[in-house]
Amino acid sequence: MSIKVGAASQELSAAYAAVTREPAGIVWNKVCVSLKRELGDAAFGSWIAPAVLRETQAGDVVLVTPTGIARDWIRRSAWRRIGELWAAGDAVGRRLDLKSRLEFEASADAASATTGAVYVEAKPQPIEIVLPVSSDIPAAAPTPTGKTSPVQGLQERFTFDSFVPGPANEFAHAVARRVASWADGHFNPVLFHGPYGFGKTHLLNALAWEAMRAAPNKRVVYLTAERFLSTFVRAVMDRQTTAFKDELRGADLLIIDDVHFIAGKQSSQEELFHTLTALVEDGRRVVFSADRPPSAMTEMDARLRSHLSAGLVCGMEPADRSLRLGILERKIEALGRAQGFTGTVRPEVLQFLADRFTDSVRELEGALNTLTARAGERLSRLSLDEVQAILRPHLRGGEKRITIDDIQKATSEHYGMKQADLLSERRNRAIARPRQAAMWLAKQLTTRSLPDIGRRFGGRDHTTVLHAVRRIEALRQDDAVLSQDLETITRKLRG
């Protein structure tokens, strides 16, 4: 009896395994989804995405990397985790091996010569990690309107409604709106450029969402330069370059974020050049973003650089104080709605954040997120001292130390005067206003007390410094020239 039960059990196990046996490609796709989330886009796109899965007719599975360097990185940094995810996802317990392309081809040749075994590519299902974001890919993602759209990767929060325009970005905003409306007479291609944290990705996402809303029958393709590179490499390895070209060149609107990453990668530059040329000649629209204008992309192929310059090159400037305040107010309202509390903070806290985080909008939003995470619904009641205490570790991290002497030198250079004039007793307006500005900067950018600042400005008392700080604070609200002077000096001091 026991023998019969054991045999039946084995038969049931075998039947279960046959039913639950998923193709290796599907299991690998599930592993990749988890890996991308855990490793991040950069590491995943550089090392994991270019690898392909192969399996023998006998059922052995091998992950094949394009180079030995990629194989070594995966073995060192991700192989244990890949093994865990593979074991959890593969119901039949197939062994997964790792080899470089050269190793794999050598072992395949040897196996074929001795046993006749043949390796074939494991057939994965198309998933987000290897495809550009296209408005006709059959997968659904939520749109800003709450409906579903066949687009992956676009961030729902980055829309024109959540974009705060101001003097620093209003031209770029107007250009993006025009492109998204499919209006005639557009420049082609359009390149938005500016350092990180200036709102380029937000603008490109907003453009894509609006373009799809305005013309649902048009085909929009959005992808980062990193995804362009990894997808192109994958297509070359899998001999699928024709499909890759058709995917991009069939777009009515192609959007590529951070195109400067492609500089120096010859074959990818060549493909992008021919894609750009084909789309422009066919009257399709192309939009790029980069961290600098084409003229500064010295590593980029000259022909591609020339084509990027041929349309409209649109620079985005650092957000000025009024724009930073507007961004903060909009962000606080959104956080309040999301977390169920009143979206307000004290005016002095708003002003501190806007004055302290001037280099990038991401840095500004990061500081606000830190406060929200720490304070929650108490955010509206936080005092300036509490805010400074919460952000103190963040403020000090890797920051250049600014001295009062640095401030005096930078202020005097900006206004074309001698540093000694700031310390003198002269009170004419041409000297007094820059002196007050330097005192205000000293209060904002250093931890020195008012009496200490006064001593370093020719032995003045703290009431003189306090008057100067209050005077500049009042004037800069309405004096655009003074506000810009303070922004310029601050940026110079922070490098």
Side-chain angles (χ1 to χ4, degrees), residues 476-489:
R476 72 186 186 126
Q477 306 296 329
D478 302 314
D479 190 335
V481 174
L482 174 61
S483 181
Q484 185 59 47
D485 287 343
L486 296 171
E487 292 270 352
T488 302
I489 296 170

Side-chain angles (χ1 to χ4, degrees), residues 358-373:
T358 61
D359 293 337
S360 114
V361 173
R362 285 181 187 157
E363 187 182 60
L364 184 65
E365 291 184 339
L368 183 58
N369 288 337
T370 300
L371 291 177
T372 305

Side-chain angles (χ1 to χ4, degrees), residues 108-349:
D109 290 343
S112 179
T114 57
T115 67
V118 178
Y119 279 87
V120 295
E121 182 180 355
K123 296 297 184 183
Q125 300 298 312
I127 59 171
E128 182 267 339
I129 58 172
V130 296
L131 292 175
V133 175
S134 169
S135 58
D136 68 351
I137 292 176
T143 70
T145 61
K147 300 177 181 179
T148 58
S149 171
V151 176
Q152 305 147 337
L154 291 175
Q155 299 187 55
E156 185 179 357
R157 63 193 179 97
F158 287 158
T159 67
F160 282 129
D161 287 340
S162 62
F163 189 86
V164 182
N169 60 28
E170 59 187 358
F171 179 61
H173 178 250
V175 169
R177 283 276 195 184
R178 182 171 180 80
V179 174
S181 70
W182 303 96
D184 293 331
H186 62 282
F187 294 95
N188 209 17
V190 174
L191 174 70
F192 299 104
H193 71 86
Y196 291 107
F198 279 30
K200 302 185 300 299
T201 296
H202 189 150
L203 201 60
L204 262 59
N205 273 253
L207 193 161
W209 284 123
E210 180 62 21
M212 289 185 292
R213 187 202 63 78
N217 60 316
K218 299 281 190 180
R219 186 161 178 272
V220 177
V221 174
Y222 169 96
L223 66 164
T224 63
E226 179 188 1
R227 177 172 288 177
F228 177 94
L229 290 169
S230 62
T231 309
F232 178 64
V233 169
R234 185 71 171 265
V236 170
M237 292 178 59
D238 293 347
R239 297 180 176 85
Q240 297 292 323
T241 53
T242 300
F244 176 78
K245 292 175 182 179
D246 292 344
E247 172 73 23
L248 298 188
R249 298 182 192 184
D252 294 294
L253 170 61
L254 173 63
I255 304 172
I256 298 182
D257 199 4
D258 289 333
V259 73
H260 53 275
F261 278 124
I262 297 175
K265 300 171 178 63
Q266 193 55 45
S267 58
S268 298
Q269 288 183 120
E270 185 80 14
E271 180 56 37
L272 181 59
F273 169 75
H274 290 300
T275 296
L276 173 59
T277 302
L279 288 171
V280 171
E281 289 179 352
D282 200 30
R284 312 295 180 93
R285 304 179 185 219
V286 185
V287 178
F288 298 113
S289 77
D291 65 350
R292 54 193 181 276
S295 59
M297 298 181 198
T298 55
E299 295 182 355
M300 185 167 281
D301 178 82
R303 293 180 305 163
L304 180 55
R305 191 167 66 242
S306 175
H307 274 61
L308 292 177
S309 303
L312 176 62
V313 178
C314 184
M316 298 179 68
E317 300 295 326
D320 61 16
R321 187 174 190 266
S322 62
L323 180 54
R324 292 196 299 273
L325 285 169
I327 291 170
L328 281 170
E329 290 170 353
R330 184 77 61 86
K331 177 76 173 175
I332 291 167
E333 290 175 4
L335 287 171
R337 287 195 302 270
Q339 300 194 22
F341 61 83
T342 303
T344 60
V345 300
R346 294 182 177 181
E348 62 269 24
V349 170

Side-chain angles (χ1 to χ4, degrees), residues 36-53:
K36 185 180 181 186
R37 183 172 58 248
E38 295 174 12
L39 296 175
D41 289 347
F44 181 88
S46 298
W47 303 106
I48 307 294
V52 294
L53 207 64

